[in-house]
Amino acid sequence: YGLLQQPVSSVDGTYTDSRANPDAKAPGEFKKYSKNENSGGALGLISKFIKETQEMKQEAIKDEQDAQAEYEDFLNNTNDSVASKNKSIVDKTELKAQAEADKVQAEEDHASVESDLESLAQYKGQLHQTCDWVLKHFDEDQAARNEEMEAIRQAEGVLSGALA
């Protein structure tokens, strides 16, 4: 309780009613009102506001122009990219079509070659049979020819003696 009494008693003398204590002074006196020299008044404030608004408007216009230019660049780059991608698609489609045509041609050529190989295999079989027959009968044919040549020589010898 004693601790709270000391601050109350020290403040008590300062904030007492001045009528109760005629010797007490007012806590502060007001100065005479005058315009602030740094202030331009209401018109100055409005002018300042208008100037700031115009600056903000110019900045907004510049920002809009910059954004428009960036958008146009982006749009041009995108259009160029789309055009190049479309050209790439067309080129690749043409290459694919050519590759498919080449594949079809190669398959036809392959079928033709296979047909030719079958024909050649049949011809080879026929030749083989013919060669086998010639080889099998060669000795017989050779003996027959030798007999014919001997007969011709004998006939020649008979004819030579008859003519002489």
Side-chain angles (χ1 to χ4, degrees), residues 71-98:
Y71 172 75
E72 288 173 2
D73 288 344
F74 171 75
L75 194 61
N76 289 335
N77 291 341
T78 301
N79 288 339
D80 292 344
S81 177
V82 167
S84 70
K85 300 289 186 208
N86 285 338
K87 184 180 182 321
S88 175
I89 289 170
V90 168
D91 292 345
K92 289 178 182 177
T93 303
E94 289 174 357
L95 288 173
K96 181 182 176 194
Q98 184 61 42

Side-chain angles (χ1 to χ4, degrees), residues 8-104:
V8 171
S9 60
S10 65
V11 174
D12 193 29
T14 308
Y15 294 105
T16 57
D17 191 1
S18 60
R19 287 179 273 159
N21 187 359
D23 293 334
K25 289 188 175 182
E29 294 184 21
F30 292 106
K31 296 181 183 177
K32 182 176 178 187
Y33 177 76
S34 65
K35 272 187 167 182
N36 186 349
E37 294 176 8
N38 295 332
S39 167
L43 291 177
L45 186 61
I46 292 172
S47 296
K48 182 179 176 187
F49 178 73
I50 290 171
K51 182 180 174 186
E52 287 176 358
T53 304
Q54 288 174 343
E55 289 173 358
M56 287 173 52
K57 179 182 174 184
Q58 293 299 324
E59 185 178 335
I61 289 172
K62 182 185 178 304
D63 289 346
E64 178 66 25
Q65 290 171 346
D66 291 346
Q68 182 66 30
E70 288 178 14
Y71 172 75
E72 288 173 2
D73 288 344
F74 171 75
L75 194 61
N76 289 335
N77 291 341
T78 301
N79 288 339
D80 292 344
S81 177
V82 167
S84 70
K85 300 289 186 208
N86 285 338
K87 184 180 182 321
S88 175
I89 289 170
V90 168
D91 292 345
K92 289 178 182 177
T93 303
E94 289 174 357
L95 288 173
K96 181 182 176 194
Q98 184 61 42
E100 287 175 355
D102 291 346
K103 178 184 174 197
V104 168

Side-chain angles (χ1 to χ4, degrees), residues 155-164:
E156 192 178 273
V158 170
L159 287 177
S160 326
L163 291 176

Side-chain angles (χ1 to χ4, degrees), residues 73-140:
D73 288 344
F74 171 75
L75 194 61
N76 289 335
N77 291 341
T78 301
N79 288 339
D80 292 344
S81 177
V82 167
S84 70
K85 300 289 186 208
N86 285 338
K87 184 180 182 321
S88 175
I89 289 170
V90 168
D91 292 345
K92 289 178 182 177
T93 303
E94 289 174 357
L95 288 173
K96 181 182 176 194
Q98 184 61 42
E100 287 175 355
D102 291 346
K103 178 184 174 197
V104 168
Q105 184 63 42
E107 288 172 348
E108 289 174 359
D109 292 347
H110 184 264
S112 174
V113 166
E114 292 228 347
S115 173
D116 290 346
L117 285 175
E118 286 179 24
S119 298
L120 288 173
Q122 288 176 355
Y123 181 67
K124 176 187 169 197
Q126 291 171 354
L127 278 178
H128 199 342
Q129 287 177 350
T130 304
C131 287
D132 285 347
W133 185 86
V134 168
L135 286 174
K136 180 179 178 184
H137 296 95
F138 180 75
D139 291 336
E140 295 171 8

